[in-house]
Amino acid sequence: MEKKNIDWANLGFGYMQTDKRYVSNFKNGAWDAGALVDDSNIVMSECAGVLQYAQTVFEGLKAYTTDDGHIVTFRPDLNAERMEQSAKRLEMPVFDKGRFVEAVEQVVSANAAFVPPYGSGATLYIRPYMFGISPVIGVKPAEEYQFRVFCTPVGPYFKGGVKPLTIKISDFDRAAPHGTGHIKAGLNYAMSLHAIVTAHEEGYDENMYLDPSTRTKVEETGGANFLFVTKDGKVVTPKSDSILPSITRRSLVHVAKEYLGLTVEEREVYKDELADMAECGLCGTAAVISPVGKIVDHGKEICLASGMSEMGPVTKKLYDTLTGIQMGRIEAPEGWIHVIM
Ligand code: PLP
Ligand code: COI
């Protein structure tokens, strides 16, 4: 199969329309058979549930070309399970896990010419999502829904690739206790937009959000979980009911313990501990592991020992092992790699 003529090495994290996307509709209490379609546009009621009350959830995963030329995805079953949790929390129907994975397979296969080649530095980002499409004017769930999957080739989420980031501790909150921080609902991202624009205007790459009730504990950023390395080489990652259960973070915890023999603590992480950390990274599908060099707390700079020029040594090992597994260079744990073609 001939690849599209794309400058893979210089792709940013943006949208490019690809050839096919998957659509299934939920009507009269059931999902239809679903199909690949050409049209990237959606026509809906002016009063659709998604437009009025933001009833929409999404997922993000990637397809990779491995060193032996296969196209694979990474743990898509976990994305399907998380979307099920997200849908239930927003009173939406569940899209079957097996069908979710099949839809991803169909979209990737149909757009194989857009899957970046091995070693190009780019990947294919896959975006499954679901939204209320029937009219809703009183505050209640829609009766009809649409589930879709599209894909787009992407480069690094942060400009500059793996150069350490500078982030600020935000005065805005991302997710309330007992709210929706643990699911992947569009509304969580809508309310983070003002905070991220503000951070960018002030020259920061991202926000660190704290727990809203005490403002003493580290939660996550707008699009990634945190991973820290202590000065004595332990991996520490925040535990909270209001952060997204990142598939990348869960995978890295396994990699740290089982591949690298490191001690891992999943626990509450206090803002006051930040100055004692040697390394900090943002982990997620889009972010992979993006190193943080500096955290600014209302003007007070907390400089990570790993510095501003490159990834810290433990973060680098985690990065190399995870990406090695994803690209087929390192043997994966059972069930992690889903071969598409
Ligand atoms: N946290 C937030 C808020 C996110 O949007 C994401 C991205 O999906 C993550 C964490 C990382 O999750 P994952 O590793 O499953 O992509
Ligand atoms: C992902 O990593 O898949 C996300 O959804 C994060 C988003 C900020 C792009």
Side-chain angles (χ1 to χ4, degrees), residues 82 174 184 189 220-225 244 246-248 283-285:
R82 192 169 61 190
R174 191 192 86 93
K184 217 160 160 56
Y189 300 80
E220 59 175 330
T221 70
N225 284 178
L244 194 77
S246 158
I247 295 162
T248 313
C283 56
T285 298

Side-chain angles (χ1 to χ4, degrees), residues 188-321:
N188 293 336
Y189 300 80
M191 56 181 273
S192 76
L193 296 176
H194 179 61
I196 192 67
V197 169
T198 305
H200 287 164
E201 280 168 1
E202 293 170 355
Y204 300 103
D205 298 300
E206 250 298 355
N207 284 300
M208 169 182 278
Y209 294 105
L210 300 178
D211 72 298
S213 53
T214 71
R215 308 195 67 78
T216 58
K217 289 177 273 184
V218 176
E219 292 260 294
E220 59 175 330
T221 70
N225 284 178
F226 279 107
L227 235 162
F228 299 97
V229 181
T230 61
K231 288 181 179 151
D232 57 358
K234 272 191 268 187
V235 173
V236 178
T237 183
K239 193 181 169 97
S240 159
D241 291 339
S242 48
I243 64 174
L244 194 77
S246 158
I247 295 162
T248 313
R249 185 247 305 158
R250 287 182 270 161
S251 303
L252 286 167
V253 164
H254 181 88
V255 164
K257 287 184 191 160
E258 306 301 328
Y259 284 65
L260 304 177
L262 300 170
T263 302
V264 180
E265 292 176 357
E266 291 179 75
R267 59 165 172 84
E268 292 180 327
V269 175
Y270 287 84
K271 188 182 84 162
D272 290 349
E273 291 178 74
L274 292 174
D276 298 327
M277 299 296 180
E279 299 176 38
C280 170
L282 310 184
C283 56
T285 298
V288 194
I289 314 180
S290 301
V292 174
K294 197 191 282 182
I295 303 165
V296 181
D297 180 8
H298 301 88
K300 193 180 99 208
E301 294 195 347
I302 302 166
C303 298
L304 280 301
S306 52
M308 288 303 290
S309 59
E310 56 189 56
M311 254 189 207
V314 178
T315 308
K316 176 90 169 74
K317 272 193 218 158
L318 287 165
Y319 178 93
D320 287 345
T321 311

Side-chain angles (χ1 to χ4, degrees), residues 16-232:
M16 177 188 295
Q17 191 182 316
T18 53
D19 290 340
K20 303 277 182 188
R21 67 276 307 124
Y22 178 92
V23 186
S24 178
N25 288 294
F26 182 89
K27 254 188 201 172
N28 302 320
W31 289 104
D32 68 11
L36 289 176
V37 301
D38 292 327
D39 192 354
S40 60
N41 295 307
I42 302 171
V43 176
M44 68 177 89
S45 163
E46 62 189 350
C47 199
V50 59
L51 299 179
Q52 302 310 321
Y53 302 123
Q55 198 185 14
T56 178
V57 297
F58 69 100
E59 272 303 323
L61 68 163
K62 282 175 171 172
Y64 309 85
T65 304
T66 59
D67 62 349
D68 59 358
H70 288 290
I71 295 176
V72 305
T73 54
F74 184 70
R75 312 187 79 180
D77 50 318
L78 298 190
N79 294 95
E81 284 168 15
R82 192 169 61 190
M83 191 154 190
E84 176 170 343
Q85 298 311 314
S86 300
K88 286 179 174 162
R89 181 64 176 76
L90 292 199
E91 293 294 336
M92 302 167 85
V94 168
F95 195 77
D96 174 77
K97 178 167 149 180
R99 290 196 58 196
F100 177 105
V101 175
E102 270 168 37
V104 167
E105 285 170 359
Q106 285 188 31
V107 170
V108 174
S109 303
N111 296 294
F114 288 92
V115 183
Y118 177 76
S120 64
T123 52
L124 187 77
Y125 186 72
I126 306 160
R127 174 54 61 90
Y129 60 116
M130 188 201 290
F131 51 92
I133 198 164
S134 57
V136 170
I137 193 73
V139 178
K140 61 177 189 205
E143 287 177 358
E144 295 173 6
Y145 294 85
Q146 192 164 95
F147 169 84
R148 298 177 77 103
V149 183
F150 70 80
C151 64
T152 177
V154 295
Y157 189 67
F158 293 102
K159 278 194 219 92
V162 292
K163 208 180 132 326
L165 306 170
T166 300
I167 64 174
K168 68 170 282 191
I169 295 185
S170 183
D171 287 326
F172 296 105
D173 294 325
R174 191 192 86 93
H178 315 294
T180 55
H182 61 300
I183 61 158
K184 217 160 160 56
L187 60 92
N188 293 336
Y189 300 80
M191 56 181 273
S192 76
L193 296 176
H194 179 61
I196 192 67
V197 169
T198 305
H200 287 164
E201 280 168 1
E202 293 170 355
Y204 300 103
D205 298 300
E206 250 298 355
N207 284 300
M208 169 182 278
Y209 294 105
L210 300 178
D211 72 298
S213 53
T214 71
R215 308 195 67 78
T216 58
K217 289 177 273 184
V218 176
E219 292 260 294
E220 59 175 330
T221 70
N225 284 178
F226 279 107
L227 235 162
F228 299 97
V229 181
T230 61
K231 288 181 179 151
D232 57 358

